[in-house]
Amino acid sequence: MSARPTASVVHGVAADFRSIPSVDRLLRHPASAALALEHGHRLTRDTARVVLEELRGRADRGELRASEPELDQLTTVLAARCQAQLASSARAVINLTGTVIHTNLGRAPLPALALERIVALGGSANNLEYDLQRGARGDRDSLVEALLCRLTGAQAATVVNNNAAAVLLMIAALAQGREVLVSRGELVEIGGAFRMPDVMASAGARLVEVGTTNRTHPQDYERAINAHTAMLMKVHTSNYAIQGFSSAVDEAVLSGIARKHGVVLASDLGSGSLIDLSGYGLPREPLPQDKLEAGCDVVSFSGDKLLGGPQAGMIVGSREVVERIRRHPLKRALRVSKLPLLALEATLQLYLRPELLARDLPVLRLLTRPRSAILRQARRLRAAVAEALAPRFTVEVVPLMSQIGSGSLPVDRLASAGLRIVSSASRHGDRELETLAQTLRALPRPVLGRIADHAVLWDLRCLEHDRELRVQLPQLRAALT
Ligand SMILES: *Cc1c(COP(=O)(O)O)cnc(C)c1O
């Protein structure tokens, strides 16, 4: 006798194991034939196998309902499964974390103009690396070099895949087999595996630490320079701040030292910003143009942090130094792809109209939303959210503080507002909050807040349109009851 049940009973209905059709029989159904026309035979057949295999598994476990092996129902499941495999598993999410440039959430949302360029040009042959005037091979830097020079005052510019690549390339091209001096206060770990000492080693340069964690003086650099020194490097301490009894040597002083000894002065700005953010009431982030003016030979910064564009790494500086960087073989390995390059050109062009930037550049638009507007929005939304979450949770409007994110200005916070959601249960409140957070992540457009002080906090700074949240409230309500 077989241990396998041939029939099972669920809700009082028996489903015969043998009533599950064969793959061939399922594929001969007209609806399956239509699917095969739409998606091809291979995907339809492979998916049919998986669907039927699962059905047999459920029959084995006695979970099968009588209606499930019916052909009509099976073809509906089959169609949905074929479709699901073709949908992106990447999803738009609603970022209510309060961190505007969130590294885990795609960093800067792209400006409309950048998206238009990608759609307009991404699908056809293009001249990104072809000089139409000369009818010869061109350089993909030419798309953005003039813009970068105009915006930063640099003599030359080149672009690679991201700022980590830019730093690696700068060091490899300018200091391979030689020494690079970095202050002990600037030996940054950015996150992931990007640690300055490791990057140095990968680029084939020897890191020489100077000064101490909290204080580094000009003579620390002076004393460490010898015949093997190729570069002095400044690294922006993006994600931490050294406060109290501290001092660092600024670029203006370092450039004098670099010049005197004939070595290069490089600066990794991390985020960098092409405009003075203090003009918008935001904390000031160093500008590449200031660093070049102070005497840096070369400066690198990210495309998708405060710049507000696609992932990319900018390298701007003197003609001679940028040319050396461009000629290094790693440049080819680290080059930027066509889609981000198109998006970068469009993003940089927005900076040619600075008065419109807070409207056209999403990162800046979000960063400059005043608390008063966010507070009004929170008041507008509170009742509808409370209704969707009742009776398990209660909702109140609260002031909050947002962060810029991605290592920009780690200490500064932006006045914001949002909703504070707490469990109505007198016990196991935290478990309730975890359930809520999980339910929110399972929505068609997942909603990501943060949990703090026994509450789910929704910072509404990055919610530009109430509708995105409102349309999901009925579903949220249903999921919680
Ligand atoms: C963010 C950052 C990097 C890395 O830039 P990506 O564009 O993320 O590769 C390098 N250095 C500093 C100081 C940074 O803040």
mmCIF file of all heavy atoms in Angstrom, residues 177-208:
data_model
loop_
_atom_site.group_PDB
_atom_site.id
_atom_site.type_symbol
_atom_site.label_atom_id
_atom_site.label_comp_id
_atom_site.label_asym_id
_atom_site.label_seq_id
_atom_site.Cartn_x
_atom_site.Cartn_y
_atom_site.Cartn_z
ATOM 1 N N GLY A 177 52.174 52.325 -6.511
ATOM 2 C CA GLY A 177 53.551 51.990 -6.132
ATOM 3 C C GLY A 177 54.226 53.070 -5.297
ATOM 4 O O GLY A 177 55.414 52.997 -5.014
ATOM 5 N N ARG A 178 53.453 54.082 -4.902
ATOM 6 C CA ARG A 178 54.055 55.168 -4.107
ATOM 7 C C ARG A 178 53.202 55.432 -2.870
ATOM 8 O O ARG A 178 52.283 54.683 -2.573
ATOM 9 C CB ARG A 178 54.202 56.406 -4.989
ATOM 10 C CG ARG A 178 55.059 56.090 -6.236
ATOM 11 C CD ARG A 178 55.256 57.288 -7.121
ATOM 12 N NE ARG A 178 56.022 58.332 -6.449
ATOM 13 C CZ ARG A 178 56.094 59.596 -6.876
ATOM 14 N NH1 ARG A 178 55.413 59.950 -7.965
ATOM 15 N NH2 ARG A 178 56.798 60.496 -6.232
ATOM 16 N N GLU A 179 53.500 56.501 -2.165
ATOM 17 C CA GLU A 179 52.828 56.746 -0.885
ATOM 18 C C GLU A 179 51.785 57.866 -0.980
ATOM 19 O O GLU A 179 51.977 58.837 -1.692
ATOM 20 C CB GLU A 179 53.879 57.126 0.175
ATOM 21 C CG GLU A 179 54.790 55.962 0.519
ATOM 22 C CD GLU A 179 55.855 56.330 1.561
ATOM 23 O OE1 GLU A 179 55.917 57.512 1.978
ATOM 24 O OE2 GLU A 179 56.623 55.427 1.944
ATOM 25 N N VAL A 180 50.708 57.658 -0.221
ATOM 26 C CA VAL A 180 49.658 58.681 -0.115
ATOM 27 C C VAL A 180 49.507 59.045 1.359
ATOM 28 O O VAL A 180 49.338 58.169 2.212
ATOM 29 C CB VAL A 180 48.311 58.163 -0.657
ATOM 30 C CG1 VAL A 180 47.227 59.225 -0.517
ATOM 31 C CG2 VAL A 180 48.447 57.725 -2.115
ATOM 32 N N LEU A 181 49.545 60.332 1.647
ATOM 33 C CA LEU A 181 49.421 60.804 3.033
ATOM 34 C C LEU A 181 47.972 61.184 3.326
ATOM 35 O O LEU A 181 47.382 61.993 2.615
ATOM 36 C CB LEU A 181 50.307 62.040 3.228
ATOM 37 C CG LEU A 181 51.772 61.834 3.632
ATOM 38 C CD1 LEU A 181 52.438 60.752 2.816
ATOM 39 C CD2 LEU A 181 52.538 63.137 3.547
ATOM 40 N N VAL A 182 47.431 60.569 4.392
ATOM 41 C CA VAL A 182 46.066 60.899 4.810
ATOM 42 C C VAL A 182 46.062 61.125 6.317
ATOM 43 O O VAL A 182 46.717 60.385 7.064
ATOM 44 C CB VAL A 182 45.071 59.749 4.479
ATOM 45 C CG1 VAL A 182 43.641 60.150 4.829
ATOM 46 C CG2 VAL A 182 45.144 59.351 3.010
ATOM 47 N N SER A 183 45.326 62.105 6.746
ATOM 48 C CA SER A 183 45.205 62.367 8.185
ATOM 49 C C SER A 183 44.502 61.209 8.883
ATOM 50 O O SER A 183 43.556 60.642 8.343
ATOM 51 C CB SER A 183 44.408 63.653 8.411
ATOM 52 O OG SER A 183 43.914 63.698 9.738
ATOM 53 N N ARG A 184 44.950 60.887 10.099
ATOM 54 C CA ARG A 184 44.291 59.805 10.862
ATOM 55 C C ARG A 184 42.838 60.129 11.161
ATOM 56 O O ARG A 184 42.035 59.241 11.389
ATOM 57 C CB ARG A 184 45.035 59.563 12.182
ATOM 58 C CG ARG A 184 46.342 58.838 11.967
ATOM 59 C CD ARG A 184 46.858 58.160 13.245
ATOM 60 N NE ARG A 184 47.982 57.284 12.914
ATOM 61 C CZ ARG A 184 49.252 57.677 12.849
ATOM 62 N NH1 ARG A 184 49.567 58.938 13.100
ATOM 63 N NH2 ARG A 184 50.191 56.825 12.526
ATOM 64 N N GLY A 185 42.498 61.398 11.154
ATOM 65 C CA GLY A 185 41.106 61.790 11.398
ATOM 66 C C GLY A 185 40.213 61.581 10.184
ATOM 67 O O GLY A 185 39.007 61.784 10.252
ATOM 68 N N GLU A 186 40.810 61.167 9.058
ATOM 69 C CA GLU A 186 40.019 61.073 7.814
ATOM 70 C C GLU A 186 40.062 59.682 7.188
ATOM 71 O O GLU A 186 39.743 59.522 6.012
ATOM 72 C CB GLU A 186 40.541 62.108 6.793
ATOM 73 C CG GLU A 186 40.400 63.534 7.296
ATOM 74 C CD GLU A 186 41.075 64.569 6.404
ATOM 75 O OE1 GLU A 186 41.523 64.230 5.293
ATOM 76 O OE2 GLU A 186 41.180 65.726 6.836
ATOM 77 N N LEU A 187 40.424 58.669 7.985
ATOM 78 C CA LEU A 187 40.487 57.311 7.430
ATOM 79 C C LEU A 187 39.098 56.688 7.469
ATOM 80 O O LEU A 187 38.779 55.846 8.300
ATOM 81 C CB LEU A 187 41.500 56.462 8.195
ATOM 82 C CG LEU A 187 42.942 56.922 7.957
ATOM 83 C CD1 LEU A 187 43.899 56.183 8.869
ATOM 84 C CD2 LEU A 187 43.340 56.734 6.504
ATOM 85 N N VAL A 188 38.296 57.092 6.543
ATOM 86 C CA VAL A 188 36.861 56.860 6.572
ATOM 87 C C VAL A 188 36.472 55.447 6.144
ATOM 88 O O VAL A 188 37.070 54.863 5.259
ATOM 89 C CB VAL A 188 36.197 57.872 5.597
ATOM 90 C CG1 VAL A 188 34.718 57.648 5.481
ATOM 91 C CG2 VAL A 188 36.505 59.283 6.034
ATOM 92 N N GLU A 189 35.442 54.903 6.810
ATOM 93 C CA GLU A 189 34.712 53.775 6.234
ATOM 94 C C GLU A 189 33.339 54.310 5.849
ATOM 95 O O GLU A 189 32.603 54.817 6.676
ATOM 96 C CB GLU A 189 34.545 52.618 7.230
ATOM 97 C CG GLU A 189 33.619 51.552 6.642
ATOM 98 C CD GLU A 189 33.356 50.367 7.565
ATOM 99 O OE1 GLU A 189 34.324 49.815 8.102
ATOM 100 O OE2 GLU A 189 32.177 50.019 7.731
ATOM 101 N N ILE A 190 33.007 54.173 4.573
ATOM 102 C CA ILE A 190 31.764 54.761 4.081
ATOM 103 C C ILE A 190 30.582 53.828 4.313
ATOM 104 O O ILE A 190 29.446 54.229 4.369
ATOM 105 C CB ILE A 190 31.878 55.075 2.568
ATOM 106 C CG1 ILE A 190 33.021 56.037 2.311
ATOM 107 C CG2 ILE A 190 30.600 55.664 2.013
ATOM 108 C CD1 ILE A 190 32.940 57.319 3.072
ATOM 109 N N GLY A 191 30.868 52.558 4.446
ATOM 110 C CA GLY A 191 29.759 51.593 4.521
ATOM 111 C C GLY A 191 30.028 50.545 3.471
ATOM 112 O O GLY A 191 30.749 50.778 2.506
ATOM 113 N N GLY A 192 29.481 49.367 3.664
ATOM 114 C CA GLY A 192 29.833 48.276 2.767
ATOM 115 C C GLY A 192 31.313 47.991 2.968
ATOM 116 O O GLY A 192 31.805 47.996 4.087
ATOM 117 N N ALA A 193 32.043 47.814 1.902
ATOM 118 C CA ALA A 193 33.450 47.458 2.043
ATOM 119 C C ALA A 193 34.349 48.621 1.668
ATOM 120 O O ALA A 193 35.517 48.433 1.385
ATOM 121 C CB ALA A 193 33.756 46.237 1.180
ATOM 122 N N PHE A 194 33.809 49.830 1.662
ATOM 123 C CA PHE A 194 34.617 50.959 1.239
ATOM 124 C C PHE A 194 35.320 51.606 2.429
ATOM 125 O O PHE A 194 34.772 52.460 3.106
ATOM 126 C CB PHE A 194 33.759 51.992 0.499
ATOM 127 C CG PHE A 194 34.568 53.044 -0.199
ATOM 128 C CD1 PHE A 194 35.105 52.819 -1.450
ATOM 129 C CD2 PHE A 194 34.813 54.257 0.424
ATOM 130 C CE1 PHE A 194 35.864 53.791 -2.079
ATOM 131 C CE2 PHE A 194 35.572 55.241 -0.203
ATOM 132 C CZ PHE A 194 36.094 55.009 -1.459
ATOM 133 N N ARG A 195 36.554 51.141 2.678
ATOM 134 C CA ARG A 195 37.351 51.718 3.752
ATOM 135 C C ARG A 195 38.604 52.280 3.119
ATOM 136 O O ARG A 195 39.275 51.602 2.347
ATOM 137 C CB ARG A 195 37.765 50.643 4.746
ATOM 138 C CG ARG A 195 36.595 50.012 5.440
ATOM 139 C CD ARG A 195 37.070 48.884 6.285
ATOM 140 N NE ARG A 195 36.571 49.051 7.633
ATOM 141 C CZ ARG A 195 37.008 48.371 8.680
ATOM 142 N NH1 ARG A 195 37.981 47.499 8.528
ATOM 143 N NH2 ARG A 195 36.479 48.560 9.853
ATOM 144 N N MET A 196 38.910 53.498 3.482
ATOM 145 C CA MET A 196 40.010 54.182 2.833
ATOM 146 C C MET A 196 41.304 53.361 2.809
ATOM 147 O O MET A 196 41.915 53.224 1.753
ATOM 148 C CB MET A 196 40.205 55.538 3.512
ATOM 149 C CG MET A 196 40.523 56.688 2.607
ATOM 150 S SD MET A 196 40.262 56.469 0.851
ATOM 151 C CE MET A 196 38.935 57.595 0.560
ATOM 152 N N PRO A 197 41.713 52.747 3.944
ATOM 153 C CA PRO A 197 42.968 51.982 3.888
ATOM 154 C C PRO A 197 42.904 50.823 2.885
ATOM 155 O O PRO A 197 43.893 50.544 2.194
ATOM 156 C CB PRO A 197 43.109 51.441 5.322
ATOM 157 C CG PRO A 197 42.305 52.369 6.165
ATOM 158 C CD PRO A 197 41.150 52.807 5.314
ATOM 159 N N ASP A 198 41.744 50.182 2.773
ATOM 160 C CA ASP A 198 41.608 49.056 1.836
ATOM 161 C C ASP A 198 41.613 49.535 0.388
ATOM 162 O O ASP A 198 42.155 48.870 -0.501
ATOM 163 C CB ASP A 198 40.307 48.287 2.115
ATOM 164 C CG ASP A 198 40.273 47.747 3.540
ATOM 165 O OD1 ASP A 198 41.365 47.599 4.133
ATOM 166 O OD2 ASP A 198 39.166 47.505 4.051
ATOM 167 N N VAL A 199 40.981 50.701 0.170
ATOM 168 C CA VAL A 199 40.961 51.247 -1.189
ATOM 169 C C VAL A 199 42.397 51.558 -1.637
ATOM 170 O O VAL A 199 42.791 51.257 -2.759
ATOM 171 C CB VAL A 199 40.089 52.513 -1.254
ATOM 172 C CG1 VAL A 199 40.180 53.161 -2.625
ATOM 173 C CG2 VAL A 199 38.645 52.166 -0.934
ATOM 174 N N MET A 200 43.156 52.143 -0.729
ATOM 175 C CA MET A 200 44.567 52.448 -1.027
ATOM 176 C C MET A 200 45.304 51.192 -1.455
ATOM 177 O O MET A 200 46.025 51.183 -2.450
ATOM 178 C CB MET A 200 45.292 52.969 0.222
ATOM 179 C CG MET A 200 44.882 54.303 0.656
ATOM 180 S SD MET A 200 45.573 55.595 -0.347
ATOM 181 C CE MET A 200 44.699 56.954 0.398
ATOM 182 N N ALA A 201 45.113 50.125 -0.673
ATOM 183 C CA ALA A 201 45.817 48.876 -0.961
ATOM 184 C C ALA A 201 45.374 48.327 -2.319
ATOM 185 O O ALA A 201 46.212 47.900 -3.116
ATOM 186 C CB ALA A 201 45.541 47.861 0.149
ATOM 187 N N SER A 202 44.080 48.373 -2.590
ATOM 188 C CA SER A 202 43.591 47.866 -3.883
ATOM 189 C C SER A 202 44.156 48.661 -5.045
ATOM 190 O O SER A 202 44.340 48.133 -6.131
ATOM 191 C CB SER A 202 42.064 47.954 -3.973
ATOM 192 O OG SER A 202 41.472 47.463 -2.818
ATOM 193 N N ALA A 203 44.381 49.948 -4.822
ATOM 194 C CA ALA A 203 44.901 50.788 -5.902
ATOM 195 C C ALA A 203 46.415 50.661 -6.025
ATOM 196 O O ALA A 203 47.027 51.275 -6.889
ATOM 197 C CB ALA A 203 44.500 52.240 -5.660
ATOM 198 N N GLY A 204 47.009 49.876 -5.141
ATOM 199 C CA GLY A 204 48.461 49.650 -5.224
ATOM 200 C C GLY A 204 49.286 50.778 -4.646
ATOM 201 O O GLY A 204 50.455 50.939 -4.974
ATOM 202 N N ALA A 205 48.665 51.586 -3.778
ATOM 203 C CA ALA A 205 49.421 52.674 -3.150
ATOM 204 C C ALA A 205 49.648 52.345 -1.682
ATOM 205 O O ALA A 205 48.928 51.532 -1.102
ATOM 206 C CB ALA A 205 48.667 53.985 -3.279
ATOM 207 N N ARG A 206 50.670 52.971 -1.088
ATOM 208 C CA ARG A 206 50.920 52.738 0.321
ATOM 209 C C ARG A 206 50.351 53.903 1.119
ATOM 210 O O ARG A 206 50.679 55.074 0.865
ATOM 211 C CB ARG A 206 52.420 52.616 0.573
ATOM 212 C CG ARG A 206 52.758 51.675 1.721
ATOM 213 C CD ARG A 206 54.247 51.415 1.796
ATOM 214 N NE ARG A 206 54.946 52.525 2.449
ATOM 215 C CZ ARG A 206 54.896 52.759 3.761
ATOM 216 N NH1 ARG A 206 54.212 51.963 4.545
ATOM 217 N NH2 ARG A 206 55.551 53.777 4.283
ATOM 218 N N LEU A 207 49.470 53.577 2.051
ATOM 219 C CA LEU A 207 48.857 54.604 2.883
ATOM 220 C C LEU A 207 49.818 54.989 4.007
ATOM 221 O O LEU A 207 50.343 54.130 4.710
ATOM 222 C CB LEU A 207 47.565 54.057 3.496
ATOM 223 C CG LEU A 207 46.925 54.905 4.593
ATOM 224 C CD1 LEU A 207 46.390 56.210 4.032
ATOM 225 C CD2 LEU A 207 45.815 54.131 5.277
ATOM 226 N N VAL A 208 50.045 56.273 4.153
ATOM 227 C CA VAL A 208 50.833 56.750 5.280
ATOM 228 C C VAL A 208 49.929 57.647 6.121
ATOM 229 O O VAL A 208 49.423 58.661 5.639
ATOM 230 C CB VAL A 208 52.076 57.537 4.810
ATOM 231 C CG1 VAL A 208 52.837 58.107 5.991
ATOM 232 C CG2 VAL A 208 52.974 56.633 3.966
#
